[in-house]
Amino acid sequence: MTGAVTAQAPGGDELVGWPPEVAARYRAAGYWHGRSFGTWLSLLAAAHPGRTAVVGRTGDVEHRWTFAELDRRAHRLAAGLHGLGVRPGENVLLQLPNVPEFVPVVLALFRVGARPVFALPAHRDTELRHVAQWSQATAVLTVDAHARFDHGALARRTADATGSVREVIVLDTGAGGTTAGAVPLAGLDADPVELPDPDPEGVAFLQLSGGSTGLPKLIPRTHDDYLYSVRESARICGLRPDGVYLAALPAAHNFPLSSPGVLGALHAGAASVLAPSPDPATAFALIARERVTITGLVPPLAAAWADAAARTPHDLSSLEVVLVGGAKCGPELAGRIGPALGVRLQQVFGMAEGLVNYTRLDDPDELVCTTQGRPISPDDEVRVVDPDDPAAPSDSEVQPGRAGALLTRGPYTIRGYYRAAEHNATAFTEDGFYRTGDLVRRTPTGHLEVVGRVKEQVNRGGEKVAPTEVEDHLMAHADVLDAAVIGVPDSYLGERTCAYVVPRPGAEALTGSVLRRFVRERGVAAFKVPDLIEIVPDFPVTGVGKTSKRELRDALRARATEER
Ligand code: AMP
Ligand code: DBH
């Protein structure tokens, strides 16, 4: 195992708050209710005690919990976590696949006032170590093993590499994996204790950004701001108490968590079914059995589902709404989903930093197929500006209907990343707009069409890859002189990664498969291992000679396009 790609010391605020007068406006407008997630759950349990809240499978055991049961579990687990020494304001690195325990664990941490840091199941040593160190996590909570990978051992390695971690907590699913030396999650079950209610305007959790520079940034979301987006998402997506949401994507991701996701379903008094895998065989069986009404998919999965629906023996007739987002869903695919699955399509263009756009259920088909929706809130401010020079932005608005870079601020969009003062200086404008890095066109109806991006990021069917991060991994190989990573069009994923690698003199025998294995063995999420690797003798040099990585990537993209 080699060292971290970046080991910067955290600097800056945990939460860059909204200016007091803006916060007052959001409260007065009724967006922020001044209610913590814990209080929210208690109210839901009182309103829908006997309704099913969570359905899922842990190993061989199937769980089906009502709202009252979920509330009780969250209370007992919160007491257990508190008994273990987990305290308000501490960060707890969470890496759980779609097991039902995900829901009470998250809600219990909210009740304690400790913040889950939402790692994805695909993350490996490099990512976990980075976020554990950045957040100064005091505990890592994971599953023994999942998809033939030993998450218990990964959590242990992460803890050992991170001085702040005191406890490793493991959910035993009977899948093998390392549980020795860990606190069993099942043991964290104690009689409820009185816990102080966390400040609704304080940080509830840390979401991970896909990132465009280096490793993921941490996104601090508050109880008040997130609950607003959850509430409105549930309404916009038409969730009712008799609805059933299928979490097909990993529940820790912002999309299946909140758009409308598991939390939106809970808000509506509806059930959430956690699917262990999003493949049509698994998901269709669950849809038929649980009478699922709504789900969310990334475009490649939506295409796979649309194809598979034609020959499935399963009854999909309960399904009413399918949300598609995370990456661009073009008009051709958008037009196919409704008829193939017998549903209403809702496009969703969101980001863990905040802003979420939905096409509305009563929008004309034309808008549903050609746009990625319009913002949730009347107070989501959207600016579409000249993208010409990201280094020296003038931020002048483009002509109506023209494409430009999307800037946004509003009642549920962060004003800064967690402890990242330096990065925040460029990621946000002086007046608090978040630079999304997306290129959009705005219609007269206020809908946004995503037409590209200005940020250096590859979107692999919803999985975001920062080229610099992959380049750093490649360049750690002794035989690599230089590397540049770009996105190339792909009919299935939309884009995939292509790494151009210049070997050191004398190392010309270097191969792509050696490098792919090298990157994988450094412990990174599999989706970051380059899809294609081209070994080249040198790079195209533009202008004066020495090029920046950005210019180099531009030149490689231009050459790749020309060759096609
Ligand atoms: P993240 O900041 O990691 O949460 O990723 C959010 C990014 O995903 C957005 O800024 C977009 O680049 C991309 N994205 C999400 N939804 C869509 C969509 N429906 N169409 C195109 N891009 C999307
Ligand atoms: O890609 C995303 O991050 C995303 C997509 C759809 C998201 O955060 C969301 C909806 O809330």
Side-chain angles (χ1 to χ4, degrees):
M1 214 46 246
T2 38
V5 172
T6 56
Q8 260 172 286
D13 298 334
E14 292 203 340
L15 178 66
V16 181
W18 287 262
E21 65 283 6
V22 176
R25 190 150 59 76
Y26 294 157
R27 269 178 240 120
Y31 304 146
W32 295 359
H33 284 182
R35 198 175 280 157
S36 70
F37 270 100
T39 308
W40 171 80
L41 177 61
S42 303
L43 292 172
L44 290 173
H48 317 278
R51 297 202 74 90
T52 301
V54 181
V55 178
R57 181 176 277 280
T58 313
D60 293 334
V61 185
E62 168 126 316
H63 294 290
R64 190 175 292 270
W65 297 324
T66 63
F67 278 81
E69 174 68 3
L70 174 63
D71 186 43
R72 198 184 69 89
R73 280 183 177 268
H75 269 301
R76 297 192 62 86
L77 192 50
L81 287 162
H82 193 263
L84 189 65
V86 176
R87 289 291 172 267
E90 291 184 354
N91 296 325
V92 174
L93 180 56
L94 196 67
Q95 187 182 43
L96 288 178
N98 282 2
V99 285
E101 286 83 355
F102 175 87
V103 186
V105 161
V106 167
L107 291 163
L109 287 166
F110 287 165
R111 276 217 164 112
V112 172
R115 298 85 160 255
V117 183
F118 284 117
L120 296 173
H123 286 143
R124 294 293 178 259
D125 293 76
T126 308
E127 292 95 0
L128 291 201
R129 198 170 47 225
H130 169 76
V131 294
Q133 287 173 355
W134 201 277
S135 63
Q136 290 292 291
T138 57
V140 184
L141 198 163
T142 191
V143 73
D144 48 356
H146 172 69
R148 293 192 302 280
F149 182 79
D150 187 339
H151 285 271
L154 171 60
R156 173 53 60 202
R157 289 194 298 275
T158 305
D160 291 346
T162 311
S164 54
V165 176
R166 298 188 305 262
E167 304 289 353
V168 172
I169 305 165
V170 175
L171 166 66
D172 192 349
T173 67
T178 305
T179 53
V183 175
L185 181 72
L188 296 180
D189 175 46
D191 288 338
V193 290
E194 196 66 44
L195 294 167
D197 197 29
D199 175 6
E201 292 187 31
V203 178
F205 61 87
L206 298 169
Q207 205 28 292
L208 268 54
S209 83
S212 53
T213 53
L215 284 154
K217 300 278 178 307
L218 297 175
I219 299 170
R221 301 291 302 261
T222 67
H223 298 256
D224 260 344
D225 93 71
Y226 208 63
L227 274 171
Y228 171 49
S229 72
V230 162
R231 213 162 58 229
E232 284 303 289
S233 294
R235 188 183 61 75
I236 290 167
C237 302
L239 266 165
R240 303 175 310 264
D242 60 350
V244 180
Y245 177 80
L246 182 77
L249 300 169
H253 189 277
N254 200 57
F255 176 12
L257 189 62
S258 68
S259 294
V262 172
L263 294 177
L266 286 177
H267 181 77
S272 290
V273 178
L274 286 102
S277 154
D279 67 73
T282 309
F284 287 4
L286 280 172
I287 291 170
R289 197 188 73 188
E290 300 295 333
R291 305 300 292 160
V292 169
T293 62
I294 176 169
T295 189
L297 301 172
V298 291
L301 270 178
W305 280 34
D307 292 342
R311 28 188 171 79
T312 185
H314 296 293
D315 173 12
L316 306 181
S317 63
S318 58
L319 207 51
E320 295 169 9
V321 174
V322 169
L323 291 112
V324 177
K328 173 77 178 254
C329 174
E332 189 275 328
L333 175 59
R336 225 150 37 87
I337 294 165
L341 295 170
V343 298
R344 181 75 178 149
L345 167 70
Q346 257 188 313
Q347 293 216 39
V348 52
F349 160 42
M351 52 206 74
E353 287 82 354
L355 182 72
V356 180
N357 304 273
Y358 294 100
T359 57
R360 300 308 199 257
L361 291 170
D362 58 358
D363 275 344
D365 288 348
E366 165 74 12
L367 280 175
V368 173
C369 284
T370 60
T371 78
Q372 280 62 57
R374 64 179 170 82
I376 287 179
S377 176
D379 273 310
D380 280 321
E381 298 172 71
V382 162
R383 299 184 63 210
V384 183
V385 306
D386 196 338
D388 271 351
D389 187 359
S394 60
D395 293 341
S396 53
E397 296 261 350
V398 298
Q399 295 292 315
R402 290 284 177 81
L406 171 65
L407 311 183
T408 187
R409 64 179 184 188
Y412 60 98
T413 296
I414 57 164
R415 294 291 183 121
Y417 291 96
Y418 185 83
R419 294 184 184 154
E422 202 179 315
H423 181 66
N424 287 340
T426 52
F428 296 82
T429 66
E430 267 177 26
D431 50 358
F433 280 84
Y434 169 53
R435 297 184 187 281
T436 67
D438 294 309
L439 270 182
V440 303
R441 207 181 351 249
R442 189 166 30 181
T443 68
T445 55
H447 288 65
L448 302 177
E449 183 197 350
V450 181
V451 296
R453 62 172 169 254
V454 283
K455 61 189 165 194
E456 290 282 318
Q457 187 181 74
V458 183
N459 191 334
R460 235 177 133 272
E463 292 182 311
K464 320 299 187 321
V465 182
T468 53
E469 184 186 347
V470 181
E471 288 163 1
D472 286 347
H473 285 299
L474 289 165
M475 265 142 53
H477 192 286
D479 289 341
V480 171
L481 183 65
D482 207 352
V485 172
I486 61 170
V488 293
D490 180 76
S491 58
Y492 179 61
L493 291 173
E495 265 189 316
R496 53 185 175 160
T497 50
C498 178
Y500 291 85
V501 174
V502 181
R504 282 193 190 282
E508 286 80 9
L510 187 66
T511 64
S513 60
V514 164
L515 281 172
R516 286 172 53 87
R517 191 171 344 113
F518 175 75
V519 173
R520 195 175 305 112
E521 283 172 0
R522 282 173 65 81
V524 299
F527 64 82
K528 295 179 187 171
V529 176
D531 293 300
L532 300 167
I533 296 188
E534 298 242 5
I535 309 286
V536 292
D538 52 28
F539 282 144
V541 177
T542 55
V544 226
K546 185 101 184 96
T547 51
S548 73
K549 264 288 150 65
R550 184 178 266 269
E551 286 171 311
L552 175 56
R553 292 191 204 103
D554 286 345
L556 288 170
R557 265 191 294 267
R559 196 170 72 178
T561 312
E562 220 168 84
E563 280 168 7
R564 260 195 317 278

